[in-house]
């Protein structure tokens, strides 16, 4: 089956890259990757490629991330059953679906109206009833449901948005690509250690679409 071989490839990739410092990604994360139907999250003409370990275009100049990167980011926040997670950049809804299998609730914000509408309808149709989406600029986070156990940012920011750090629980983790638009970015893992302290760790060089701002 195509999805199973994608999972094998991600597993193999993780063993080589060891971006987490561990040999393998968390088994629950791998199970989620093996369950979520990625072909449901891409446009019809991309479906033949849905189980290849690479990003794919989803329209509006945006992409669904590479499965390995989705798995890596999910692994690094160390998801637990009782987690409430905020995602910035709903895009196709795929990362939200992967998270939804692992945690209590996922809140996800998307800035492009058409993508937000499609993803929200798709997630509802596929039965992901523990995902709540909204249209907006994720730079400001989603105060109403804060604080979060973890925050996953899937668009590259020039800096770590202070509102997101504020909305993270003490002890919580945020995974975020940071860097400019025309360069590779650094995937950063941030942990809020106290009310006013964070520690960050550089994980890998990555390429994400930019975090855009509401005008
Ligand atoms: N997580 C997505 C990946 C989407 S690519 C998936 O699994 O498919 C990143 C997404 O971030 C794009 O859809 C882009 O429109 C969105 N984005 C960019 N800037 C944003 C912002 N300020 N707030 C919310 N979403 C943003």
């Amino acid at each position: 089956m195509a999805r199973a071989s994608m999972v094998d490839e991600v597993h193999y990739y993780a063993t080589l890259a060891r971006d987490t410092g561990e040999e393998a990604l968390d088994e629950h994360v791998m199970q989620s990757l093996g369950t979520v139907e990625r072909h449901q999250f891409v446009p019809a003409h991309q479906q033949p490629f849905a189980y290849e370990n690479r990003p794919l275009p989803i329209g509006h100049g945006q992409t669904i991330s590479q499965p390995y990167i989705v798995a890596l980011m999910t692994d690094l926040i160390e998801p637990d059953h009782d987690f409430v997670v905020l995602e910035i950049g709903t895009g196709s809804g795929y990362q939200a679906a992967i998270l939804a299998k692992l945690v209590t609730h996922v809140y996800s914000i998307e800035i492009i109206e058409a993508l937000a509408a499609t993803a929200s309808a798709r997630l509802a149709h596929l039965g992901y009833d523990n995902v709540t989406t909204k249209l907006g600029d994720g730079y400001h986070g989603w105060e109403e449901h804060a604080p979060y156990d973890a925050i996953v940012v899937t668009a590259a920011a020039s800096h770590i948005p202070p509102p997101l750090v504020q909305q993270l629980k003490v002890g919580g983790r945020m995974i975020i690509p940071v860097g400019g638009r025309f360069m590779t970015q650094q995937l950063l893992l941030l942990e809020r250690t106290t009310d006013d302290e964070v520690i960050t760790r550089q994980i890998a060089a990555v390429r994400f679409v930019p975090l855009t701002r509401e005008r």
Side-chain angles (χ1 to χ4, degrees):
M1 197 175 95
R3 192 158 59 247
S5 70
M6 179 192 83
V7 173
D8 287 346
E9 200 178 324
V10 168
H11 178 75
Y12 179 64
Y13 205 95
T15 347
L16 295 181
R18 303 196 58 161
D19 289 321
T20 57
E22 309 269 319
E23 195 140 316
L25 299 175
D26 179 81
E27 67 174 295
H28 298 109
V29 173
M30 296 306 285
Q31 275 164 14
S32 184
L33 206 67
T35 317
V36 177
E37 299 186 314
R38 192 169 185 253
H39 69 271
Q40 304 269 22
F41 292 82
V42 299
H45 64 282
Q46 295 293 341
Q47 283 184 359
F49 318 113
Y51 295 106
E52 293 182 6
N53 184 25
R54 59 180 172 98
L56 294 171
I58 54 170
H60 307 272
Q62 307 305 318
T63 54
I64 178 173
S65 307
Q66 180 189 358
Y68 168 67
I69 294 293
V70 172
L72 174 65
M73 292 173 79
T74 309
D75 177 284
L76 287 165
I77 60 158
E78 298 181 18
D80 206 348
H81 300 298
D82 60 2
F83 268 26
V84 175
V85 179
L86 175 67
E87 180 196 21
I88 310 304
T90 317
S92 67
Y94 180 71
Q95 169 78 73
I98 292 286
L99 286 165
K101 298 260 180 215
L102 300 162
V103 305
T104 295
H105 207 96
V106 181
Y107 292 95
S108 183
I109 310 175
E110 169 58 51
I111 202 167
I112 297 178
E113 192 166 2
L115 290 176
T118 308
S120 144
R122 173 183 289 142
L123 288 162
H125 172 74
L126 295 173
Y128 291 94
D129 51 15
N130 61 339
V131 181
T132 310
T133 59
K134 80 163 178 178
L135 177 66
D137 181 353
Y139 183 93
H140 307 290
W142 196 340
E143 184 73 58
E144 194 185 341
H145 308 290
Y148 300 98
D149 297 287
I151 301 180
V152 175
V153 183
T154 67
S158 61
H159 59 272
I160 296 167
L164 297 185
V165 179
Q166 279 311 316
Q167 292 174 27
L168 194 60
K169 275 187 193 166
V170 170
R173 292 184 155 80
M174 167 156 61
I175 184 83
I176 177 170
V178 175
R181 202 177 261 257
F182 301 111
M183 55 191 282
T184 54
Q185 303 114 19
Q186 275 298 325
L187 188 62
L188 297 185
L189 178 65
L190 176 153
E191 189 181 339
R192 187 173 190 186
T193 45
T194 68
D195 260 347
D196 40 29
E197 271 177 327
V198 300
I199 49 171
T200 58
R201 189 172 118 208
Q202 291 194 6
I203 302 297
V206 288
R207 271 197 99 112
F208 277 81
V209 296
L211 186 83
T212 53
R213 303 298 313 282
E214 220 158 45
R215 271 163 293 173

